[in-house]
DNA sequence: CCCTGTACTTACCAAATGGTAAGTAAAATA
DNA sequence: TATTTTACTTACCATTTGGTAAGTACAGGG
């Protein structure tokens, strides 16, 4: 049944996000399901191949999410803000994906094959184009820098949330969560020199 | 000789930053020096204790760096900008520290003892105070959100640099590097509603 | 009803891991 | 000079790791 594969991929995504590639054993993944690790190996061949499949699913979700956003905007600045708020929401919703991609970014230096970054390239190019339009600035390095700053503002926050919760306490943490989206809008809008969305 | 200890800590910092806690074996660390892993165990007792010591050194450097910055500023907005540019420079210079802290952030959910976050708390409090003054806004959640966005903009960039270099090519990557500090200044200054520093 | 493939399982296994035990040689201390 | 301590080393070791081999049970097709 192909459903078992799916369940393995889901469990693996959670495990790799939580403990990283080396911190996760395939036996560990299998134990969270009613299967042995050999069932896993039967379906995926090796730990690396399972990981690759997990990564492929994540990049699919990432691109699917990007494609939908920004349709309704009436101008480039508005579209820019809408897209990044959409990225924030998606990153929060799929926080496992966000954590895993952050780990991948850290490990990438070592296992840096270009194969792994193609989807990121597309993603970044799309955003950089939006930034160029919104900034009205032809300089690609500046657009890219802005994009990266906002991606950082989003992903770093999402990844830090468990730590922040324990550090700040439930109340302050809730306030921060509530404020973050609007504060991101303010940051974007002021950088573009326009008024932030609602 | 206490110098051996120091060399172990340095080598461990590099290794943990590069491959993470689980991706690094103590034998691996020792091999990069003319010692056996038992020499390492002799000095530190266990892998965990070595890691704790590495982390302690990093937080020392972090706080030392923060203390110096922002002295010369003539107003709260200027000070805010100066401090974050200083953090950018320090994070770039000590990129191993940055990478390792990012990993720690990701792992922290699991090995979350409050002991590990005390230094981050002090660090964040200091910055949030600066943000409150610079924003002229009493709302602590908004100040904290801004601080976190900027820390994200900085750390995510630093951590991504190896990937970005391979993704963008040497030329574009160089342009991005050159633009990043000024772009960070622009982001901060526009958010505060003032002109960016030089 | 046989045959082939699929979805698993139990048995193994070699390598690597963190760590202990028991030394040795030299330096510090008495 | 005798003794203790420090800074290591070589020998081990139990556990965990990713992975292979060789099955078993069953479903579908000829």
């Amino acid at each position: 049944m192909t459903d078992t594969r799916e369940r393995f991929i889901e469990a693996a995504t959670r495990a790799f996000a939580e403990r990283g590639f080396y911190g996760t054993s395939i036996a560990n993944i299998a134990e969270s399901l009613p299967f042995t690790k050999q069932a896993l190996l039967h379906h995926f061949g090796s730990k690396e191949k399972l990981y690759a499949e997990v990564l492929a699913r994540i990049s699919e979700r990432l691109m699917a999410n990007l494609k939908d956003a920004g349709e309704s905007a009436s101008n480039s600045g508005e579209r820019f803000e809408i897209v990044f708020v959409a990225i924030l929401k998606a990153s929060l919703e799929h926080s496992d994906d966000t954590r895993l991609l952050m780990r991948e970014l850290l490990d990438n230096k070592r296992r840096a094959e270009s194969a792994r970054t193609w989807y990121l390239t597309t993603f970044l190019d799309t955003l950089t184009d939006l930034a160029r339009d919104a900034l009205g600035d032809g300089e690609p390095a500046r657009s890219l820098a802005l994009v990266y700053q906002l991606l950082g503002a989003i992903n770093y926050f999402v990844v830090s949330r468990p730590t922040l919760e324990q550090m700040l306490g439930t109340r302050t943490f809730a306030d921060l969560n509530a404020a973050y989206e609007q504060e991101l809008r303010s940051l974007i809008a002021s950088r573009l020199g326009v008024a932030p969305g609602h």
Side-chain angles (χ1 to χ4, degrees), chain A residues 171-183:
Chain A
R171 281 297 290 275
T172 314
F173 180 63
D175 290 348
L176 178 62
N177 276 306
Y180 209 83
E181 181 188 319
Q182 187 54 46
E183 204 55 30

Side-chain angles (χ1 to χ4, degrees), chain A residues 2-12 14 32-35:
Chain A
T2 189
D3 187 41
T4 302
R5 264 185 78 93
E6 249 21 72
R7 291 174 70 188
F8 268 125
I9 291 176
E10 275 172 43
R14 248 172 291 139
S32 73
L33 299 174
F35 296 104

Side-chain angles (χ1 to χ4, degrees), chain A residues 80 131 135 141-151 191-192:
Chain A
F80 190 69
L135 278 173
R142 304 190 58 178
S143 306
L144 183 51
L146 177 58
V147 164
Y148 228 80
Q149 285 163 1
L150 296 177
L151 286 180
R191 179 62 248 266
L192 300 181

Side-chain angles (χ1 to χ4, degrees), chain A residues 77-91:
Chain A
E78 197 185 325
R79 183 175 310 118
F80 190 69
E81 183 181 321
I82 288 176
V83 165
F84 274 95
V85 169
I87 293 175
L88 171 64
K89 284 177 175 166
S91 300

Side-chain angles (χ1 to χ4, degrees), chain A residues 12-29:
Chain A
T13 305
R14 248 172 291 139
F16 286 141
E18 205 81 16
R19 291 180 292 269
F21 184 80
Y22 295 113
T24 303
S25 72
I26 52 176
N28 212 304
I29 296 170

